[in-house]
Amino acid sequence: MAAVVPPMPGQEAPSQWCLYFASRDAAATAAKIRDNGGELLMEPMRVGDFGTMCLARDPGGVVFGVWQSGSHEGFEAMAEPGAYCWSEIFTRDPGPSDAFFPAVFGYRSKRMEDDSVDFRLFDLGERTVLGRMRMGEEFPPEVPPYINVYFTVADCDAAVSRATGLGGTLDFGPMDSPFGRFAALRDPQGACFSVIDVTRTEGELPKITDLG
């Protein structure tokens, strides 16, 4: 489902979830990251027979990982209670991320036509795999850009109650959407994440414009 690790020596960034993007060749992806203005925080490194990883930062400051699978492919379950469901890049300056991720990973971009948010979707082939949300004034200035990971839950309100009861902080929600009932949280160490009940939807899906 996921893993928890201590920070790398010398790492001063706050606690956060790190999403790893699959790659057939981590070294080649690392080269694309550099060529498109990204920064490698950790060069490609083999992890036993599990696979090869690297850590990077996009030009806008979003930290992410790259994973070339060996015996470990990645998520063993998705979109079931307790498992990963979805991710969105949260950034105050969308331009660098909007250019960087399609250039590195070959995504097609789509824009959600909604006057209340600045939101894009990234497609890999025919499948939507990632979102991008512009951070508004509701985010404290000390919160850096990050990738917000969504975990599936059977009951959003109950999950929020359990999380806050264990020392977590509710940032907003729960709220209904066409994609599910969701809420944004921070764990006791400050790592941001969201929970979503995909079975409880409300409202019409917004219009989507293909940007290529």
Side-chain angles (χ1 to χ4, degrees):
M1 305 300 178
V4 177
V5 297
M8 294 184 298
Q11 183 183 24
E12 298 179 355
S15 297
Q16 61 181 286
W17 287 96
C18 181
L19 181 69
Y20 285 75
F21 295 83
S23 170
R24 292 187 176 90
D25 185 331
T29 301
K32 286 186 177 181
I33 289 168
R34 287 195 189 94
D35 291 345
N36 287 280
E39 175 189 1
L40 284 179
L41 304 177
M42 176 187 291
E43 295 284 342
M45 178 186 71
R46 187 167 179 83
V47 186
D49 64 352
F50 291 106
T52 301
M53 64 170 286
C54 69
L55 294 176
R57 182 186 289 120
D58 88 340
V62 177
V63 175
F64 63 96
V66 172
W67 182 255
Q68 177 186 339
S69 66
S71 62
H72 177 65
E73 293 186 356
F75 298 123
E76 296 179 359
M78 289 181 61
E80 64 182 60
Y84 169 88
C85 180
W86 173 248
S87 286
E88 294 165 350
I89 298 163
F90 275 37
T91 175
R92 294 178 180 83
D93 182 15
S97 295
D98 289 350
F100 175 83
F101 284 94
V104 173
F105 295 105
Y107 296 148
R108 289 180 61 86
S109 297
K110 297 187 295 188
R111 181 176 62 238
M112 182 180 293
E113 301 297 341
D114 186 334
D115 293 338
S116 65
V117 295
D118 181 347
F119 190 83
R120 286 200 183 191
L121 297 164
F122 295 130
D123 286 4
L124 188 61
E126 299 300 316
R127 301 181 65 183
T128 301
V129 296
L130 183 66
R132 191 275 296 151
M133 174 73 78
R134 181 194 288 270
M135 298 167 71
E137 295 180 356
E138 67 274 17
F139 288 87
E142 66 270 16
V143 176
Y146 67 101
I147 294 181
N148 186 39
V149 177
Y150 286 71
F151 293 96
T152 314
V153 292
D155 184 316
C156 182
D157 297 69
V160 168
S161 179
R162 286 196 299 271
T164 54
L166 291 167
T169 302
L170 177 66
D171 285 336
F172 65 85
M175 64 180 295
D176 295 314
S177 80
F179 307 100
R181 184 167 175 80
F182 71 98
L185 296 152
R186 279 175 288 154
D187 74 11
Q189 292 182 311
C192 298
F193 67 101
S194 292
V195 293
I196 185 167
D197 174 3
V198 297
T199 68
R200 182 173 170 178
T201 60
E202 184 174 300
E204 297 183 359
L205 293 173
K207 180 182 177 181
I208 303 294
T209 300
D210 193 335
L211 302 174

